[in-house]
């Protein structure tokens, strides 16, 4: 099982193909399996690295009492350094996009391109976002200690669907199926790790990212059916990065990698080709 030591953990990753390096980062409570099909397609032309973020998948838990997005970015830097990746294109979905942005800010010479999908800037731009990240997530985290986590999550998803519509989340059942079919032996995330990941998400809004100083090309994408706050964040990031392209993923919610996988994969490939050419 391929791993890299990143200070206090063994960080698991999968590697496919050869060529210019591309790193794909999953979202909160996912793991490397969400990128399985897309990684295989991109590996025809690129060296594709897909890690499990600390607390997730085969990387699993650590002894740290709390997590933060900057910690995840530091883990990523340890991975790219150990594997001697020469300025990879770093692409992140949802929380993975937060990690990718933070990595680009903290290690500006360690990537050649930045791709952010269905993610957010570390600014609270709407009242709905404040409710979701400052109120809903902490409450969910607290309830997990005293209630059935699946029922809590189902209740929260039901509320969010009423607010944003059923299409906003995307095809979650298909996302789960892809993970099970690819490798059903990956361990479930422990409740303590869920709480630490939730803390990382909520504390992200205390992070500072100086987008105006980014000197690598960037691609920002979001699903057509995602909540309006996701589109607002995409536009916020797009307006501040000097060399940036903004795309809407048609017929897709937050799970755009399964709602419209061809568009997502083709967009990443085209972006990586442009970066490589530069």
């Amino acid at each position: 099982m391929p791993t890299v030591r990143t200070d206090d953990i063994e960080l698991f990753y999968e590697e496919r193909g050869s060529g210019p390096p591309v790193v794909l980062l999953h979202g909160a409570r996912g793991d490397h399996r969400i990128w399985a099909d897309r990684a295989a397609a991109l590996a025809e032309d690129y060296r594709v690295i897909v890690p499990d973020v600390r607390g997730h998948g085969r990387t699993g838990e650590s002894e740290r009492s709390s997590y933060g997005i900057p910690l995840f970015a530091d883990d990523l830097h340890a991975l790219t350094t150990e594997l001697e990746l020469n300025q990879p294109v770093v692409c992140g979905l949802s929380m993975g996009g937060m990690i990718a942005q933070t990595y680009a800010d903290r290690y500006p010479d360690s990537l050649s391109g930045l791709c952010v999908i269905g993610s957010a800037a570390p600014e609270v731009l709407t009242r709905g976002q404040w409710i979701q990240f400052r109120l809903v997530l902490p409450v969910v985290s607290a309830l997990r200690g005293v209630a059935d986590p699946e029922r809590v999550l189902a209740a929260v998803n039901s509320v969010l669907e009423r607010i944003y519509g059923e299409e906003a989340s995307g095809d979650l059942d298909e996302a789960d199926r892809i993970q099970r079919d690819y490798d059903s032996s990956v361990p479930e995330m422990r409740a303590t790790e869920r709480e630490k990941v939730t803390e990382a998400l909520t504390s992200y809004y205390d992070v500072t990212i100086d987008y105006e100083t980014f000197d690598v090309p960037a691609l920002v994408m979001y699903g057509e059916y995602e909540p309006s706050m996701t589109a607002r964040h995409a536009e916020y990031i797009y307006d501040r990065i000097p060399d940036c392209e903004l795309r809407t993923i048609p017929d897709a919610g937050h799970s755009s990698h399964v709602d419209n996988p061809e568009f997502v994969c083709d967009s990443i490939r085209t972006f990586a080709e442009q970066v490589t050419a530069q």
Side-chain angles (χ1 to χ4, degrees):
M1 187 172 78
T3 63
V4 163
R5 187 73 183 177
T6 63
D7 187 22
D8 60 332
I9 61 168
E10 293 290 336
L11 189 74
F12 171 85
Y13 67 95
E14 282 196 343
E15 179 174 351
R16 303 184 185 205
S18 61
V22 175
V23 177
L24 302 176
L25 301 171
H26 61 77
R29 304 186 184 95
D31 55 59
H32 66 281
R33 295 174 296 173
I34 73 164
W35 285 114
D37 294 342
R38 308 287 69 76
L42 290 169
E44 296 174 2
D45 303 295
Y46 298 95
R47 180 187 179 189
V48 183
I49 308 295
V50 191
D52 278 346
V53 175
R54 178 189 296 260
H56 299 72
R58 295 201 180 279
T59 295
E61 63 188 281
S62 74
E63 295 182 356
R64 289 180 181 258
S65 60
S66 63
Y67 294 158
I69 299 299
L71 172 64
F72 297 154
D74 291 343
D75 288 341
L76 174 60
H77 185 249
L79 174 73
T80 60
T81 300
E82 180 66 23
L83 296 181
E84 298 182 344
L85 302 182
N86 182 21
Q87 294 184 311
V89 171
V90 178
C91 180
L93 171 72
S94 192
M95 184 188 76
M98 298 176 183
I99 299 170
Q101 294 172 68
T102 306
Y103 177 81
D105 184 67
R106 292 169 75 92
Y107 303 102
D109 297 327
S110 297
L111 75 167
S112 61
L114 171 69
C115 177
V116 176
I117 307 173
S119 191
E123 278 78 26
V124 177
L125 302 180
T126 67
R127 181 180 300 175
Q129 184 190 2
W130 186 93
I131 292 172
Q132 184 171 345
F133 286 93
R134 294 297 194 186
L135 183 61
V136 173
L137 282 176
V139 168
V140 170
S141 181
L143 286 175
R144 281 200 171 98
V146 296
D148 177 9
E150 296 304 323
R151 295 181 69 177
V152 171
L153 189 59
V156 171
N157 286 337
S158 177
V159 171
L160 294 178
E161 284 180 358
R162 291 177 185 177
I163 296 173
Y164 300 122
E166 293 183 2
E167 295 176 315
S169 296
D171 195 340
L172 297 178
D173 290 338
E174 177 65 7
D176 289 341
R177 185 198 64 76
I178 288 173
Q179 293 197 141
R180 289 193 307 270
D181 288 353
Y182 183 70
D183 186 353
S184 61
S185 68
V186 175
E188 293 288 333
M189 180 184 285
R190 292 177 179 268
T192 54
E193 296 302 299
R194 290 195 189 102
E195 293 172 6
K196 289 187 281 187
V197 170
T198 297
E199 181 181 357
L201 290 171
T202 55
S203 64
Y204 174 61
Y205 297 97
D206 298 322
V207 173
T208 299
I209 294 178
D210 189 359
Y211 293 105
E212 286 80 2
T213 64
F214 284 17
D215 62 356
V216 297
L219 171 64
V220 177
M221 299 191 289
Y222 64 94
E224 177 184 2
Y225 304 133
E226 290 202 67
S228 59
M229 73 175 183
T230 305
R232 190 171 300 182
H233 273 267
E235 292 167 357
Y236 178 92
I237 298 168
Y238 166 73
D239 287 340
R240 284 158 178 78
I241 297 179
D243 183 3
C244 189
E245 178 183 359
L246 180 64
R247 288 191 180 187
T248 302
I249 304 169
D251 301 319
H254 191 58
S255 301
S256 57
H257 60 298
V258 297
D259 294 342
N260 196 340
E262 290 79 12
F263 185 94
V264 170
C265 187
D266 289 347
S267 295
I268 295 173
R269 183 189 301 278
T270 300
F271 177 65
E273 288 173 353
Q274 293 171 347
V275 169
T276 301
Q278 290 182 14

